[in-house]
Amino acid sequence: MRRRLFGSVRARATLGATLVVAVALLAAGASVLLALRSNLTDQASSEAESSARKVAVSIATGTAPAALELPDGDDTPVQVVDGDGRLLAASEDLERISGTGSSAVRPVTPPVDDDDGGDDDGGDDGGSDRHGGKGKGKGGDDDSYAYGEIADDAEGGKGSATVDGETRDHRFAALEVKNTRQGDLTVYAGASLSAEQSAVGTALTVMLTGFPVLLGVVGAVTWLVTRRALRPVEGIRSEMSAITASQDLARRVPEPATHDEVARLARTTNETLAALETSVERQRRFVADASHELRSPIASLRTQLEVGAAHPELLDVEGAVADTVRLQELAAGLLLLARLDAGEQPGEARVDLATLSGEELSQRPAGRVAVRTHLRPVEVAGSRSQLARVVGNLLDNAQRHARSRVDIAVRAEGPWAVVEVGDDGGGVPEAERERIFERFVRLDDARARDDGGAGLGLAIARDVAVRHGGALTVRSSPAGGALFELRLPVAPAA
C-alpha cells in the first residue's frame, strides 16, 4: 500500500511539502509560545516587584507594618515578614499562600519596643535612635519609625495564593528593607499569572486548531499544483508509449507553451525522435542501397560462372575477377562503415601523411591518369589503415574523373596537416558538394557501373576524417576540376 500511495512524484512532493511546512509550523509555534510565556512572566515579575517596592517605600519612610495600606489580595497578595519569619502584615482575604517566606496568613502581634521614647541615660539631647534619627519619646509629637534601607534588587520566585476560595498561580518578588525599627523586614508581593496562562492557552488552542487546517490546505494545493505541472509529462509518456507501440518515428510528443523544464524536456525528446528517425531512415537506405549494390556484382558473377559451367570456352575470367574484386571492395567498405558507426576509436599511432601518400601511389596499377606529387613530411595521430583508405579513396575518385592530370599535395598549415587531391575533370557542382559525401550517392556522370564506384568512397573518407578530429571538403581546383581538402590535427611533438 505504501508503494502505491507514495510511488508517484506527485504523492512524494505533496508529502515532502506537508512535512516541511509541519516542521516549520511546529518550530515557529513553539518559539511564539515560549516568547509569549517569557514576556508575560517577565511582565508579572515586574508588576510584583513594583508592588513590593511601593510597600517597602512605605515601611522605609516610617509606616508601621500594621498600619500599611496593602493592595487587594485578589490582584496582588502581599506579605511583610520579619527576620525570624514571623508574619507582620498580609493582604486582606488572603487564605493560603506558598512560595514566600511564610505560609501564615494572619499577622502576629508585633513585639513591644522597650524604648518608650525617653532617654536611657537621662541625656538632654532627646536621645538618638539606633539609626541616627532623632526620637522625641513616648510623649513626643513624632512616634514614627526611623528610615530604613531598601535593597536594590528583588528576588523572584513562583508560588500560589488562595483568596476568597480561589487559588491562582503567582509570580512573587521578595524585597528586603533593612534597619527598620523592628529590624530587617522582607516584603513579598505577588502578581497573578492568570493572564500569562490564559494567553498561552489561547495561543496553543489556536495553533492546535489551525495547524491541521493549514497543513491540509498546503497538502491539497501541492497535490493540485504538482498534478497540473506533471500533466504535460504524462502526455509525453503516453505519446512515447504510443510511438513505441506503433514504431512510427515520424510522430512527436506534445510541447507545452511554457518555458519551463517540462517544455525543454518535450523539445529535447522531439529532437531525439527526429535524430532517431533520421538514423533509422539512413540505416534503411543503407541496407537497401547495400543490397542493391551487392546484387549487381553477385548476379553478374553468377551468370558468368553458370555460362562457364555450361560452356567453358565462353567463360569471361577477367570479368569474373573484376566483379569479385568489386564485390570484395564493397564488402570491405561496408565493414569499415559498420565499425565507424559502432564507435571504433581511431587509435594514437603517429602517421606521416607524406610517406603514407607515397605508399598509396606506389601500389596503384598502371594505366591510370598520372599523379603529380608535392609531398612534405607532416605527422598526425590516428589509425594508419583508415587514413590510408582515405587517401586511396581520394586518389581513386580523382583518377576516375580526371582527363589528364591529378595532383596531390601534403603540407602543414599551423596546427593542421593538409592533404589536397585535385583533378582537371568536370568538377562538382556547388549544389552537390555536400551531397556527394552521403552514402551510395553518385552524380549522373558517375552512375555507370563499369566505373567501379559504389558511392561509398567519399562517405568513408569524411567519416574517418571527422573521427580523427578533422574535416573533408571539396571546392574547384585551379585546373578546373574538383579539389578535395583533408585537414587533420598535427600530432604533438614526441
Side-chain angles (χ1 to χ4, degrees):
M1 180 62 68
R2 179 182 300 176
R3 185 175 182 181
R4 293 181 61 186
L5 286 177
F6 303 108
S8 66
V9 175
R10 181 169 52 181
R12 291 196 296 269
T14 301
L15 178 61
T18 304
L19 289 177
V20 169
V21 173
V23 172
L25 289 178
L26 287 176
S31 301
V32 169
L33 290 178
L34 291 176
L36 178 62
R37 182 176 182 180
S38 177
N39 290 336
L40 292 177
T41 301
D42 292 343
Q43 182 179 353
S45 298
S46 299
E47 292 177 359
E49 183 177 354
S50 177
S51 299
R53 195 168 294 280
K54 289 179 181 179
V55 176
V57 168
S58 297
I59 295 175
T61 55
T63 304
L68 290 172
E69 293 183 1
L70 300 179
D72 187 5
D74 290 337
D75 298 327
T76 309
V78 176
Q79 281 184 323
V80 180
V81 181
D82 64 8
D84 296 328
R86 292 177 298 179
L87 182 64
L88 302 182
S91 298
E92 188 178 359
D93 298 330
L94 182 61
E95 299 175 0
R96 186 180 297 107
I97 194 168
S98 65
T100 63
S102 174
S103 60
V105 294
R106 293 194 180 122
V108 299
T109 303
V112 179
D113 195 336
D114 293 337
D115 187 0
D116 59 358
D119 297 334
D120 293 337
D121 56 359
D124 296 336
D125 57 359
S128 299
D129 64 12
R130 56 181 173 172
H131 306 301
K134 299 292 184 176
K136 293 186 179 180
K138 186 175 182 179
D141 296 334
D142 188 358
D143 196 24
S144 64
Y145 281 74
Y147 287 99
E149 299 177 0
I150 303 175
D152 293 334
D153 298 323
E155 297 182 359
K158 187 177 181 181
S160 63
T162 303
V163 181
D164 290 336
E166 184 178 357
T167 302
R168 297 179 180 177
D169 292 332
H170 287 71
R171 188 73 183 177
F172 287 98
L175 190 62
E176 292 186 356
V177 183
K178 298 181 179 180
N179 301 328
T180 66
R181 187 171 183 181
Q182 289 186 329
D184 295 342
L185 304 181
T186 302
V187 179
Y188 292 94
S192 177
L193 294 176
S194 299
E196 177 260 337
Q197 294 173 347
S198 176
V200 172
T202 301
L204 182 60
T205 301
V206 171
M207 290 180 182
L208 292 178
T209 304
F211 281 7
V213 176
L214 184 57
L215 290 178
V217 172
V218 170
V221 171
T222 305
W223 179 268
L224 294 176
V225 170
T226 52
R227 178 182 179 182
R228 182 179 180 85
L230 294 176
R231 187 177 299 166
V233 177
E234 177 60 23
I236 294 174
R237 186 208 62 80
S238 60
E239 184 65 21
M240 287 295 295
S241 178
I243 292 173
T244 303
S246 64
Q247 297 184 354
D248 183 8
L249 297 178
R251 298 174 62 173
R252 297 293 181 265
V253 300
E255 294 187 15
T258 58
H259 300 281
D260 54 7
E261 292 82 356
V262 177
R264 292 196 292 272
L265 172 63
R267 287 193 292 271
T268 303
T269 302
N270 285 334
E271 292 172 359
T272 303
L273 288 174
L276 183 60
E277 181 186 13
T278 302
S279 177
V280 171
E281 182 63 27
R282 181 182 180 185
Q283 190 70 22
R284 289 174 179 172
R285 290 199 308 267
F286 177 80
V287 172
D289 292 339
S291 301
H292 181 72
E293 293 294 334
L294 288 171
R295 183 177 59 185
S296 297
I298 290 176
S300 175
L301 182 60
R302 177 181 177 180
T303 300
Q304 295 181 53
L305 292 176
E306 289 177 349
V307 171
H311 306 280
E313 69 281 1
L314 299 179
L315 177 63
D316 185 5
V317 178
E318 293 184 358
V321 171
D323 287 337
T324 303
V325 171
R326 182 183 175 194
L327 186 61
Q328 182 182 11
E329 292 179 350
L330 182 58
L334 292 175
L335 180 60
L336 178 56
L337 284 175
R339 293 204 307 266
L340 294 176
D341 290 341
E344 179 180 304
Q345 297 299 321
E348 296 294 335
R350 300 178 71 89
V351 181
D352 187 344
L353 292 179
T355 303
L356 183 68
S357 300
E359 293 176 353
E360 282 296 314
L361 289 173
S362 64
Q363 298 174 3
R364 309 196 75 72
R368 291 194 175 187
V369 178
V371 180
R372 297 191 303 179
T373 60
H374 309 276
L375 308 179
R376 295 182 181 179
V378 55
E379 288 188 342
V380 296
S383 170
R384 184 178 186 85
S385 61
Q386 292 183 11
L387 294 176
R389 184 64 179 268
V390 173
V391 175
N393 287 350
L394 294 179
L395 289 173
D396 286 341
N397 181 76
Q399 288 183 324
R400 185 179 302 119
H401 296 90
R403 295 187 180 94
S404 61
R405 169 182 170 186
V406 172
D407 294 284
I408 179 172
V410 177
R411 66 180 183 276
E413 288 186 2
W416 297 101
V418 180
V419 178
E420 291 182 343
V421 179
D423 60 70
D424 59 351
V428 180
E430 187 173 355
E432 304 288 344
R433 289 180 180 177
E434 282 299 318
R435 182 170 169 267
I436 60 173
F437 292 106
E438 297 179 6
R439 299 175 183 182
F440 298 105
V441 171
R442 290 172 296 184
L443 301 185
D444 292 339
D445 61 350
R447 290 189 181 274
R449 299 205 179 272
D450 53 4
D451 287 339
L456 289 179
L458 295 179
I460 292 175
R462 170 165 279 190
D463 284 351
V464 172
V466 171
R467 292 191 179 276
H468 281 74
L472 177 63
T473 57
V474 61
R475 63 177 186 272
S476 298
S477 71
L483 177 64
F484 288 86
E485 181 182 82
L486 171 66
R487 283 181 174 265
L488 298 173
V490 175

